[in-house]
Amino acid sequence: QAQLVESGGGLVQAGGSLRLSCAASGTFFSINHLAWYRQAPGKQRELVADITRGYSTNYLDSVKGRFTISRDNAKSTVYLQMDSLKPEDTAVYYCNTRRAIWSWGQGTQVTVSS
């Protein structure tokens, strides 16, 4: 079973940037279709971005052009570069496979102030 450790969150002003990282262990990282999710208070968890093992990417409409997902298979790490952040991006961010088959990590809190 994979173990996931997300990091890189924090408090940032609107328009700022953050880079999230998710390190995975205990799994065949390189063969998986990976994703970032987020959950805001009182809302369901939603898919933000995903990246296939062939490096194709997809994004939630509201983050297109602002967020970039990438992966480093040698480091078993997936990243989420977040630019032009908005208050509505405030949430706890998690990584997992696209089908969310791994146990969830603790997530990393992103707070964007207006």
Side-chain angles (χ1 to χ4, degrees):
Q1 179 65 288
Q3 291 184 320
L4 306 172
V5 179
E6 298 95 344
S7 62
L11 174 63
V12 63
Q13 288 188 332
S17 298
L18 286 172
R19 187 191 193 208
L20 307 184
S21 299
C22 172
S25 60
T27 185
F28 294 103
F29 183 87
S30 65
I31 67 173
N32 280 286
H33 185 168
L34 303 170
W36 281 96
Y37 300 79
R38 67 186 180 188
Q39 187 167 21
K43 295 187 177 181
Q44 290 190 335
R45 189 161 7 213
E46 64 178 351
L47 176 67
V48 175
D50 64 86
I51 183 167
T52 70
R53 56 182 179 177
Y55 298 89
S56 295
T57 58
N58 295 285
Y59 297 93
L60 182 68
D61 283 347
S62 62
V63 308
K64 283 181 181 177
R66 300 189 297 120
F67 289 11
T68 304
I69 188 171
S70 61
R71 63 191 294 166
D72 185 337
N73 290 338
K75 296 182 179 180
S76 295
T77 300
V78 60
Y79 303 97
L80 186 67
Q81 177 66 43
M82 306 188 297
D83 299 316
S84 302
L85 282 160
K86 303 177 180 180
E88 51 263 43
D89 296 318
T90 295
V92 179
Y93 285 71
Y94 303 86
C95 68
N96 209 310
T97 65
R98 176 61 179 84
R99 293 189 297 155
I101 63 173
W102 295 335
S103 296
W104 295 98
Q106 83 287 351
T108 186
Q109 175 71 49
V110 172
T111 303
V112 185
S113 63
S114 58

